[in-house]
Amino acid sequence: MNGSTLWRDRLSSSMVETMKYMRYMANGGLLFTVYFVLLYGLVVYGRFLDEVDVSFPSRWLMAACFLLAAAYRSSRTFLVEADQVFLLPTLSRLQPFMNRVRLYNALFGMARAVVPFLFVSALYVRTESIGALELLVLFASIAVFGAAANLSKLEHVPHRIVILYACGASILVLVDMEMMVGVVAFFLMIVLHLKRNERLPLLEWTMLERESRERFYRVANWFVDVPRMPQSYRPRRLLSSLVERTANAEGRSFDYLYRKQFIRSTDGLGLILRLTMVATVFMWLGQGNDWMVALAIPAFVGVTVFQLAPFTRAINEHLLTRLLPLPETGRQAAKRRLIRFAYGVQTVILSLAGLVFGGGTAILPAAVVTVLIGEYYARK
Amino acid sequence: MLLEINNLSGGYGAKQVIHDIDIKVNAGELVGLIGLNGAGKSTTIKHVLGLLPVKSGQVKVNGYELEQDEQSYRRQVAYIPEQPMLYEQLTLQEHLRLIAQGYGVDEGTAKERSDFYAERMRMKKQLAWFPSVFSKGMKQKAMILCALVTGSELLVVDEPFVGLDPLAIRELLLIFSELKKEGKGILMSTHILETAERHCDRFVLLHEGRVAAEGTTEELRRRYGLENGTLDDLYVRAIEEAER
């Protein structure tokens, strides 16, 4: 197998896996709520930009952007453990593969650095006197810093070197020497070029890929329980002891099982906490519009119960569950109790938050609608 | 009679794997279910557990039939699978509690049994751990503990020694002989013929979904004319004869 074939093969299988997890995340519901809150946040940011004062310290924010671009680095190499054995004979012919891996990481690093830059630059041009060429240099430089951060990890260049150059660039931004930032970025790329690996460091790159994959699973796990992720559940002793007390009787085995799953799973308590947080941010952004604040209650609790409805499916299919000598009715009742508890608590919390953020009397009909939605899913 | 399988035929969907099987397990008896890969051992076990629909025939456990009283039937059977399957989000202690609760074992007895067997299987320290940090052997021991805590009359065991260390195998066999003395029945599928020969009271040799031979070692020796034959020899002879 030559370098190009290996690259095509690995990239396509990686895409398949990424798409699979993206679908899991999209099905999780939280992704879309975060997306809508972000959109709403953009509207609020737009209003802020219209009213921003020229004395706003946007230069500091721009300087921070350079540090941010260099501070985080993550590299993918698309290698798997077995490559440490099977790629050994072809190691000297893998230069094309290495170059494509570099390009991929550089592009991703650039994209990651450019996104916050675009937000800050909209503010920067309103408060600072800056020409198009200077802005273009800043844009190119921050993209280079993002790429350099990722590449430095691939080439085993110490992170502090990239950070040092980024500090230099930040200082130049602060002292109004934007054109010089490009020179710093250029020198950083020369350093990386000189320190690049000539041969594929199999072991190190395999470890980088494993690290990167686990990071991806961790992020995905924020939105939905990732099946292939080595789970490290937290005992949550306080909540666990509450479950021990409330579901400790013969015939309550499904309550016990579902509640334990609920308190420890990303799809259970974790999801509710995150949705409640996002809902609170939404309400905060919507202050002054009582219907907007009230709408958040049925919308977010609706997503919660929609998510919880199939929550017990995986447990029910587990062999141990199938062998438990318990009637089906107990299973249904336990599931209903859990969903009712979840939507009840979340409705109360969001109603209180709604009152704090000025939802007023609109909260009451919103809470009633929420209970109806919750009941629909509990009985489903 | 604890387990009574009469003329059982079944399999997966339209594919019939086992044909007219008869197996009996009496109280206080350890019966070895022996066969090549694909002989139908696991399929038979799944039918006993009620995980597959019966095509024809009958399975009775301690007088109960699944179709008539599912809850009572399931309470009579505890299962140790070949591949450990545990809930990732429950600690071992919580597994034991859940299983005991499901099988209607009172809290005191459950605690007593958990502590007793956990001590013997050297899993006391691991009671508060999540399965994700268990080794393969520990997971297998956890499954064994889950089955033992039920106190069920019939124990169905599928390849119990896979992944266990020699001490654990020894302890498990000791536990089996104690359970036998208490009047429990055990149906054990295994490939380790030497161990089976020493500890099983009777054997059912399956081949291509049918019972090729059945009986004690002495009965099988007489049947195949191998006076000093080991279970290994008897097994090979039974397969040869069945394929003729």
Side-chain angles (χ1 to χ4, degrees), chain A residues 250 253 324, chain B residues 95-106 110-111 114 146 149-150:
Chain A
E250 200 185 330
S253 300
L324 278 178
Chain B
H95 274 90
L96 297 173
R97 197 166 184 170
L98 171 77
I99 301 282
Q101 212 182 71
Y103 275 77
V105 180
D106 68 83
K111 173 95 177 66
S114 302
C146 285
V149 84
T150 63

Side-chain angles (χ1 to χ4, degrees), chain B residues 1 31 50 56 64 76 78 86 88 103 118 167 175 189 194 200 203 207 241-242:
Chain B
M1 187 148 314
V31 176
S56 65
Y64 293 100
Q76 309 304 312
L86 295 153
E88 288 292 305
Y103 275 77
L167 280 183
I175 292 171
S189 143
E194 206 186 326
C200 293
F203 305 95
H207 186 62
E241 210 161 275

Side-chain angles (χ1 to χ4, degrees), chain A residues 231 233 235 240 244 247-250 252-253 256-257 260-261 264 315 318-323 325 327, chain B residues 49 51 71 74-75 79 85-90 94-95 97-98 101-104 107 130 132 143:
Chain A
Q231 296 282 7
Y233 288 100
S240 185
E244 299 281 343
N248 186 24
E250 200 185 330
R252 300 295 296 273
S253 300
Y256 185 84
L257 185 56
K260 287 273 178 176
Q261 161 83 0
R264 288 172 179 159
I315 311 176
H318 197 286
L319 179 69
L320 282 180
T321 316
R322 287 161 69 199
L323 294 177
Chain B
L49 297 170
L51 295 173
Q71 212 174 328
R74 292 205 182 280
R75 281 197 178 187
Y79 174 51
M85 276 168 274
L86 295 153
Y87 298 110
E88 288 292 305
Q89 65 279 10
L90 295 191
E94 288 165 353
H95 274 90
R97 197 166 184 170
L98 171 77
Q101 212 182 71
Y103 275 77
E107 216 177 321
F130 286 104
S132 55
M143 294 307 303

Side-chain angles (χ1 to χ4, degrees), chain A residues 204-221:
Chain A
E204 289 85 351
W205 277 31
T206 310
M207 280 162 65
L208 279 182
E209 176 64 14
R210 197 189 310 151
E211 194 184 289
S212 159
R213 224 179 307 139
E214 278 168 13
R215 192 181 307 112
F216 174 71
Y217 290 149
R218 271 200 302 277
V219 172
N221 205 54

Side-chain angles (χ1 to χ4, degrees), chain B residues 105-137:
Chain B
V105 180
D106 68 83
E107 216 177 321
T109 313
K111 173 95 177 66
E112 202 179 291
R113 280 187 194 150
S114 302
D115 289 347
F116 176 68
Y117 289 120
E119 182 80 54
R120 293 185 65 176
M121 298 305 289
R122 295 161 191 265
M123 289 289 281
K124 194 107 185 170
K125 207 171 73 183
Q126 286 80 7
L127 281 172
W129 294 10
F130 286 104
S132 55
V133 293
F134 283 180
S135 67
K136 189 174 182 292

Side-chain angles (χ1 to χ4, degrees), chain A residues 46-99:
Chain A
R47 276 188 225 139
F48 165 74
L49 286 180
D50 290 340
E51 296 158 10
V52 72
D53 190 81
V54 285
S55 63
F56 191 85
S58 52
R59 193 172 284 279
W60 286 90
L61 277 181
M62 183 57 83
C65 266
F66 278 87
L67 286 177
L68 191 75
Y72 182 77
R73 55 180 196 164
S74 74
S75 302
R76 290 209 64 181
T77 62
F78 302 93
L79 294 180
V80 295
E81 273 73 6
D83 290 339
Q84 291 175 62
V85 177
F86 296 105
L87 283 189
L88 275 178
T90 53
L91 214 52
S92 56
R93 300 199 300 272
L94 292 178
Q95 273 299 334
F97 175 78
M98 288 175 74
N99 288 336

